[in-house]
Amino acid sequence: MDAQLKKGLLEVCVLAALKREESYGYRIIADVSPYIEISESTLYPILKRLESTGSVTTRSKEYNGRLRKYYMITEQGKKKIRDFIVDLDELDRVYKFICREGR
């Protein structure tokens, strides 16, 4: 898969993992991995980028004596998912055009 396409897909998948509730890195990886490959070294730069663009916010909470960073989706992050779905509909039309038979 094209690296730029995968990067965009991963961002939206991370946001989708946060739609129901806040989460933390390891849990996000577990939620996203069945659908697209993602590692810690890929996830954390994505989370940092999403935070810098206002798509997610963070808070820290103690867990087993250590601070764990939790990520929450913002309205801007939800809008990014909605925009992606619109783009996906357009991409689906292009895909059908490319794959049509007999023309």
Side-chain angles (χ1 to χ4, degrees):
M1 179 182 295
D2 177 73
Q4 288 299 90
L5 177 60
K6 187 172 183 178
K7 177 182 166 185
L9 288 173
L10 283 170
E11 282 189 6
V12 176
C13 287
V14 168
L15 290 170
L18 298 171
K19 271 177 48 175
R20 288 182 310 223
E21 62 185 353
E22 68 180 16
S23 193
Y24 55 95
Y26 181 79
R27 183 74 218 158
I28 294 169
I29 290 171
D31 289 342
V32 172
S33 289
Y35 305 100
I36 189 168
E37 184 180 329
I38 188 168
S39 65
E40 284 184 41
S41 62
T42 302
L43 175 65
Y44 288 104
I46 289 171
L47 287 168
K48 190 172 201 81
R49 190 168 45 252
L50 290 171
E51 185 177 10
S52 72
T53 62
S55 296
V56 300
T57 59
T58 62
R59 73 177 181 95
S60 295
K61 181 180 176 185
E62 190 172 324
Y63 178 80
N64 286 342
R66 297 177 53 189
L67 281 181
R68 178 183 276 174
K69 195 171 192 178
Y70 287 85
Y71 299 87
M72 294 136 303
I73 192 169
T74 64
E75 282 305 314
Q76 187 169 337
K78 291 175 185 176
K79 182 183 181 315
K80 190 168 185 158
I81 292 173
R82 290 190 302 272
D83 291 346
F84 173 80
I85 291 169
V86 170
D87 291 344
L88 193 58
D89 288 341
E90 183 179 346
L91 184 59
D92 184 53
R93 289 191 303 275
V94 172
Y95 172 79
K96 287 176 182 172
F97 171 75
I98 292 169
C99 293
R100 67 184 177 172
E101 294 182 30
R103 292 191 174 191

